[in-house]
Amino acid sequence: MKGLIYRDFCLVKKNWIPVFCISVGSVIWNILVQLSFEYGNLKKLVEENSGSGELARTVIYYMGLYMVPYLALILMDTLSVIRADLPVRWATNRKIFPVTALQWTASIYSIKVIGLLISVVLFLINGSVMAHMTGNSFGIYEFNNMLLFACFYLAFDWVQMAFLVRVRTEKEMNSASASPLLVLIPMFAVLFPKAKAYSAKFETLIPENAAIEAQEQIRLTKGLLQSEFGVYRDAVAPYLWLIVLALFALGFYLTYLGIRRREK
Amino acid sequence: MTDFENAIEIANLIKKYDGFTLDNVNFNVPKGSIMGFIGQNGAGKTTTIRALLNIITVDSGKIQLLGMDNIKDEIEIKKRISVVFDELPFQDIFSAKQIARILCDIYPKWDNQVYEGYLERFQLPMKKKVGEFSKGMKMKLQIATALSHGAELLIMDEATTGLDPVVRNEILDIFLEYLQDENHSILMSSHITSDLEKVADSVTFIDKGRILISGYKDEILENHGVIKCSKKDFQDIEKEDFISARLSDFGAEVMVSDKFAMKRKYDGLLLENTTLEEIMLFYVNRTKKEWS
């Protein structure tokens, strides 16, 4: 199977390098931004505009914390492999080799596991450094948040893989690329009314030109960002690893079924 | 290892599509021989090969390769055969060296020394990306990979199409070398009949999903012939005695399947030897009977 993984890796390498560089670059960028909040120009911004400055600092902190693994999760995306396989009719031609459908599936998922592990490592490095610099906590709570993001990403991924292994043409490829909408649209349908409700609440609490205590602003912002999300996350926290494994297993199985299928 | 007489056995193969049917295909490729599988474009050659390799489902029929069932023993079979299509199944970014790295893990009997030997013989660079290779170089690379893991059976689907005569000749010589080992066999599908006339031991001709002729090439060529006569003389030839006839302003060319019998029956008419290409042409037009 090493040969198959090597083949897939050669095909994703071209996309991995920029994604990896951007992810590592984001870690460095986060560190620089936090240093600026502590010692540089952004510190002045916070001091001069205590309310909105602290708000900005909080938002930037959380974006920095979770953006890095989300970017790195793109490393799990094997769309580029499937796209590269179309011109050489790999879906047909690979069947001349003595490789079982299980081995093919395992080689694709090996790339995904490597991508996921890199994402986790980058998240841990990024989070630890940022937490140390800002005095914020970084532990199981944040790790579970990251796993929850990974679950959403995996859900998109297995829907996409289920379609991708069946594609034979560019047109089918484009349809398959859009298949994660099957997960995204219902998610939107559920979350959009909640987001709208919070937005309305926030607007009533911060009327135009009203002055609000900085601490109250931060508490409110954190509350808005964490409350309902935190409820869901805490409810599933004990099962997150199981959910991750289950999503991986489901994606693996669907991919295997697609690869095993013979053409008509 | 199971002892077997035929490298490939196809019995009663039926595969239906809208507008096309592989209709009860039967033929065998004896071990140690090379069979030419000829037919026009769209005759069913590639569909038959894909059925052999279990790439497509079939409606009915039994297929055995190297004495093993093509579905139950699929992986074991594929370890012992090589398939060469008309295009290299690797992306342009790979080099010959990288392809070897992939395949050495897939084939248990991969021999890198043999592979490098072929690359040297074909003057193919190891580290250059195959995207920069010509069509002939890509085909030679495919042949090199096909012959580097001890395959007992080579299946070639239109592998020499689009190659110049020099490269084709080189490849055909390699096949003859390959067949020095009596355990090796080749099934070669092509519509370039001149290549098959050079190397094939037996020939199977398929047209519109049906096998029209299957047998030893020399026998087929020996038995078939073309009567060349005037249109007046052509009128005296009974319709059931010939396959089809090509008419022109100068006369008629009539393809017969039993040259000796026709020589006795139509004594006085000029009867010449024929080629596989002519046989193919006349058989394809058999339903018209007379054509120009």
Side-chain angles (χ1 to χ4, degrees):
Chain A
M1 217 176 76
K2 281 183 298 187
L4 304 177
I5 296 173
Y6 174 72
R7 190 200 84 101
D8 288 346
F9 181 70
C10 287
L11 292 172
V12 298
K13 204 169 54 173
K14 208 170 132 182
N15 289 343
W16 269 33
I17 290 170
V19 170
F20 186 74
C21 290
I22 291 168
S23 301
V24 170
S26 300
V27 173
I28 297 169
W29 184 84
N30 286 337
I31 293 169
L32 293 173
V33 165
Q34 295 304 321
L35 281 173
S36 184
F37 271 118
E38 284 294 319
Y39 308 110
N41 290 336
L42 290 176
K43 185 180 177 186
K44 274 191 211 166
L45 174 74
V46 172
E47 283 167 357
E48 284 166 14
N49 306 282
S50 61
S52 50
E54 278 297 332
L55 176 65
R57 185 175 187 174
T58 304
V59 170
I60 289 171
Y61 175 79
Y62 283 108
M63 272 180 61
L65 186 65
Y66 295 113
M67 187 61 71
V68 164
Y70 189 75
L71 281 173
L73 279 171
I74 294 170
L75 296 174
M76 278 180 43
D77 185 3
T78 40
L79 187 65
S80 54
V81 173
I82 312 253
R83 201 174 278 280
D85 283 345
L86 269 183
V88 298
R89 293 180 287 164
W90 185 250
T92 299
N93 289 337
R94 61 173 164 74
K95 290 171 185 169
I96 67 175
F97 298 113
V99 180
T100 62
L102 194 61
Q103 285 173 309
W104 284 116
T105 314
S107 81
I108 293 170
Y109 271 77
S110 299
I111 300 290
K112 291 183 182 297
V113 167
I114 294 168
L116 181 62
L117 289 175
I118 293 174
S119 174
V120 168
V121 167
L122 282 174
F123 172 72
L124 290 174
I125 295 171
N126 180 61
S128 307
V129 170
M130 285 179 69
H132 181 72
M133 288 171 65
T134 57
N136 285 318
S137 66
F138 180 71
I140 193 71
Y141 182 89
E142 285 76 20
F143 194 74
N144 284 343
N145 286 342
M146 186 250 168
L147 278 184
L148 209 48
F149 285 137
C151 287
F152 284 124
Y153 200 93
L154 281 167
F156 289 150
D157 187 70
W158 71 248
V159 169
Q160 194 177 61
M161 283 307 297
F163 285 95
L164 279 180
V165 291
R166 286 162 163 75
V167 301
R168 295 288 182 270
T169 65
E170 192 70 36
K171 195 174 164 189
E172 288 171 8
M173 164 70 77
N174 294 333
S175 305
S177 307
S179 58
L181 289 172
L182 290 173
V183 175
L184 201 60
I185 291 171
M187 228 174 79
F188 241 28
V190 167
L191 292 176
F192 184 70
K194 291 189 186 295
K196 211 172 162 194
Y198 275 117
S199 169
K201 202 192 273 186
F202 192 74
E203 280 166 13
T204 59
L205 289 171
I206 313 205
E208 206 175 312
N209 296 321
I212 299 179
E213 283 292 331
Q215 289 301 318
E216 184 60 23
Q217 257 188 326
I218 295 161
R219 189 195 63 78
L220 190 67
T221 312
K222 274 190 176 172
L224 283 170
L225 288 171
Q226 291 172 8
S227 61
E228 199 153 330
F229 178 74
V231 165
Y232 288 130
R233 188 220 40 249
D234 292 342
V236 300
Y239 313 107
L240 273 171
W241 276 113
L242 273 174
I243 295 171
V244 167
L245 287 170
L247 284 168
F248 244 111
L250 186 60
F252 188 98
Y253 181 64
L254 288 171
T255 306
Y256 166 71
L257 286 181
I259 285 176
R260 200 178 69 149
R261 189 181 67 114
R262 280 184 294 159
E263 292 168 40
K264 289 261 182 271
Chain B
M1 193 195 299
T2 321
D3 200 24
F4 52 90
E5 199 182 311
N6 296 309
I8 299 175
E9 285 182 9
I10 303 176
N12 307 318
L13 174 63
I14 296 176
K15 171 67 186 175
K16 291 179 185 161
Y17 290 106
D18 286 337
F20 176 81
T21 300
L22 267 187
D23 188 6
N24 213 28
V25 169
N26 288 276
F27 67 89
N28 299 333
V29 178
K31 185 165 79 169
S33 72
I34 176 169
M35 170 172 279
F37 190 29
I38 59 173
Q40 297 183 94
N41 295 332
K45 302 187 296 296
T46 299
T47 306
T48 305
I49 287 175
R50 290 171 81 174
L52 276 181
L53 298 169
N54 201 23
I55 291 175
I56 56 172
T57 57
V58 299
D59 295 310
S60 64
K62 190 177 175 196
I63 299 172
Q64 289 203 318
L65 280 81
L66 305 177
M68 294 180 279
D69 186 85
N70 78 319
I71 296 174
K72 277 193 281 191
D73 303 308
E74 183 180 349
I75 298 299
E76 184 55 36
I77 288 171
K78 286 177 181 174
K79 285 179 186 171
R80 292 163 59 181
I81 69 170
S82 281
V83 182
V84 179
F85 288 129
D86 56 347
E87 282 173 350
L88 189 65
F90 290 98
Q91 286 81 356
D92 289 347
I93 61 161
F94 291 106
S95 65
K97 189 175 179 182
Q98 287 174 311
I99 289 170
R101 196 166 159 187
I102 295 167
L103 294 178
C104 76
D105 191 55
I106 289 174
Y107 290 109
K109 290 187 183 173
W110 179 265
D111 190 330
N112 225 40
Q113 263 187 320
V114 169
Y115 179 68
E116 286 175 9
Y118 277 115
L119 293 186
E120 203 178 309
R121 181 173 170 180
F122 293 145
Q123 294 175 310
L124 297 175
M126 277 285 267
K127 293 186 181 172
K128 197 174 176 184
K129 291 196 196 323
V130 296
E132 297 169 51
F133 282 18
S134 66
K135 189 176 165 80
M137 288 167 79
K138 284 182 186 177
M139 185 48 62
K140 285 184 196 175
L141 178 62
Q142 279 208 80
I143 306 284
T145 61
L147 297 177
S148 298
H149 64 93
E152 295 164 51
L153 170 64
L154 281 191
I155 298 176
M156 326 266 303
D157 187 16
E158 304 278 3
T160 55
T161 304
L163 301 179
D164 66 64
V166 174
V167 173
R168 286 210 323 263
N169 217 53
E170 214 176 325
I171 288 171
L172 294 176
D173 285 341
I174 299 277
F175 291 162
L176 290 172
E177 270 177 40
Y178 175 75
L179 284 168
Q180 297 292 313
D181 185 334
E182 61 190 22
N183 288 316
H184 291 167
S185 315
I186 299 178
L187 173 68
M188 187 171 157
S189 94
S190 181
H191 53 264
I192 307 175
T193 50
S194 55
D195 289 348
L196 299 177
E197 274 190 50
K198 279 184 205 162
V199 300
D201 299 307
S202 53
V203 163
T204 294
F205 176 39
I206 186 169
D207 185 47
K208 294 187 179 74
R210 285 190 180 170
I211 302 295
L212 297 182
I213 312 171
S214 186
Y216 290 109
K217 178 199 72 182
D218 291 339
E219 260 180 44
I220 290 170
L221 288 173
E222 188 64 23
N223 288 335
H224 283 74
V226 175
I227 297 173
K228 292 188 176 173
C229 61
S230 63
K231 281 184 181 173
K232 185 170 169 287
D233 286 336
F234 171 65
Q235 300 306 321
D236 296 333
I237 301 175
E238 290 169 28
K239 278 198 160 43
E240 55 269 20
D241 284 344
F242 63 90
I243 307 296
S244 68
R246 178 165 53 191
L247 305 176
S248 69
D249 292 338
F250 307 104
E253 290 172 308
V254 186
M255 174 65 67
V256 297
S257 59
D258 188 345
K259 195 165 70 181
F260 303 104
M262 293 304 108
K263 213 168 187 163
R264 285 193 297 274
K265 188 170 179 180
Y266 301 102
D267 186 32
L269 291 181
L270 176 63
L271 207 149
E272 290 184 350
N273 292 331
T274 186
T275 62
L276 286 178
E277 185 175 334
E278 281 193 332
I279 292 173
M280 189 167 97
L281 266 173
F282 280 87
Y283 267 86
V284 159
N285 287 292
R286 69 195 181 284
T287 47
K288 285 188 225 166
K289 223 48 180 173
E290 293 166 28
W291 53 283
S292 54

